[in-house]
Amino acid sequence: ASGAPPANTGGANNAASAPAGASTPLAAAPASAPVASSQPVTVGEALPSLTTPQTGSTAATATGPVGIWSASGNLGYSTIALVDPHNNLSTLNLLGSFVMSDDFSTLTVNGSTWSLAPGINFAGTSGIVTKIDSGSGAYSPKQTLSGTITRNGTASNFTWTYNAANALAVTQDSVVGTWATTNASFAIASGGTLTGTLSGCNLSGTLLLSTPGSSQNMYDMTVTASASTGCKLPAGVPLSGSAAIMFVPITGTHGFKRSILSVLRAADSTFID
């Protein structure tokens, strides 16, 4: 229902990990040179390098604050922020893998400073929408965004760091395949058409490069739920927003697997995904 908490489909639930075959494995060590028992085996793929970003990637070609920003705080709190080519800002504010809230606003950079337009914060636990009054701080291109966001009169400080996933060069076909996690599964075709399920909802939509023809790791995502028993999303109401390929550490190894993270909302912000 409008204003009620949506299905718990943000954050880790929305970062649908790709099956092993979707990642490019690194070469295994030869049998004559086994990895020492004190060293994790390298599987998956290496993290992209911001020092030597891949040709055409966001880190290599984008200007301004466009890209993926992240921060890890105390007691398991973290934030992942996406800034699209139109400077629309969306965030996931997490406690562990649980989404505490999402922010939606517009970011403006002026030299070495930034500011936020009024926006909204959506609480994942209660569904309560709170006004973002303002935000401002310091900007270091492709390094850090730091400062203060004021929500409903309460200010909070933060520092976001430019994420290594910005160094990944992508194509539209980089997201082709089936991406699955505990309560979600999406099949994405070469043209960006998407079908799947999420928390009991049957969904269809699209996942398309935000800048068509570019190699920048930022996608526009739109999904719509069809009427089905147990689905808490309103049928026929599109949810849209930003998405990006992220890298998740593989426990006990030096490698990473890819995931897709998205932050979506209905136009009236009554439902956040």
Side-chain angles (χ1 to χ4, degrees):
S2 178
N8 180 20
T9 55
N13 292 332
N14 215 16
S17 297
S23 296
T24 303
L26 301 180
S32 60
V35 178
S37 59
S38 60
Q39 296 295 321
V41 175
T42 299
V43 297
E45 61 183 303
L47 197 66
S49 170
L50 289 172
T51 303
T52 55
Q54 296 174 16
T55 301
S57 65
T58 304
T61 63
T63 58
V66 174
I68 306 158
W69 302 81
S70 55
S72 296
N74 296 326
L75 304 176
Y77 286 95
S78 63
T79 294
I80 300 173
L82 304 179
V83 181
D84 75 8
H86 305 291
N87 288 345
N88 295 310
L89 168 71
S90 54
T91 76
L92 286 174
N93 303 307
L94 305 162
L95 176 58
S97 61
F98 187 75
V99 180
M100 300 301 291
S101 68
D102 304 88
D103 294 305
F104 299 92
S105 184
T106 302
L107 182 69
T108 298
V109 167
N110 185 9
S112 61
T113 64
W114 62 269
S115 61
L116 281 185
I120 65 161
N121 171 270
F122 186 93
T125 53
S126 64
I128 294 174
V129 176
T130 300
K131 180 182 178 182
I132 296 176
D133 303 306
S134 62
S136 62
Y139 168 65
S140 180
K142 299 178 182 178
Q143 296 186 49
T144 57
L145 267 165
S146 61
T148 302
I149 295 179
T150 301
R151 305 176 182 91
N152 199 28
T154 301
S156 60
N157 299 322
F158 69 90
T159 298
W160 296 338
T161 302
Y162 198 61
N163 194 281
N166 291 304
L168 176 71
V170 302
T171 67
Q172 180 61 52
D173 283 351
S174 294
V175 293
V176 169
T178 299
W179 302 73
T181 188
T182 304
N183 68 340
S185 178
F186 296 115
I188 303 169
S190 59
T193 302
L194 178 155
T195 57
T197 60
L198 179 63
S199 295
C201 299
N202 295 320
L203 303 177
S204 60
T206 57
L207 184 63
L208 301 169
L209 281 170
S210 296
T211 304
S214 78
S215 298
Q216 296 178 8
N217 182 15
M218 188 68 64
Y219 294 82
D220 294 335
M221 187 172 184
T222 299
V223 297
T224 304
S226 58
S228 58
T229 302
C231 178
K232 296 182 180 180
L233 295 175
V237 176
L239 304 179
S240 60
S242 296
I245 294 174
M246 302 292 292
F247 289 86
V248 180
I250 301 174
T251 303
T253 78
H254 292 305
F256 293 80
K257 61 182 177 181
R258 297 187 182 192
S259 67
I260 294 178
L261 179 139
S262 62
V263 191
L264 311 177
R265 64 168 174 165
D268 61 2
S269 300
T270 51
F271 283 85
I272 307 295
D273 175 47

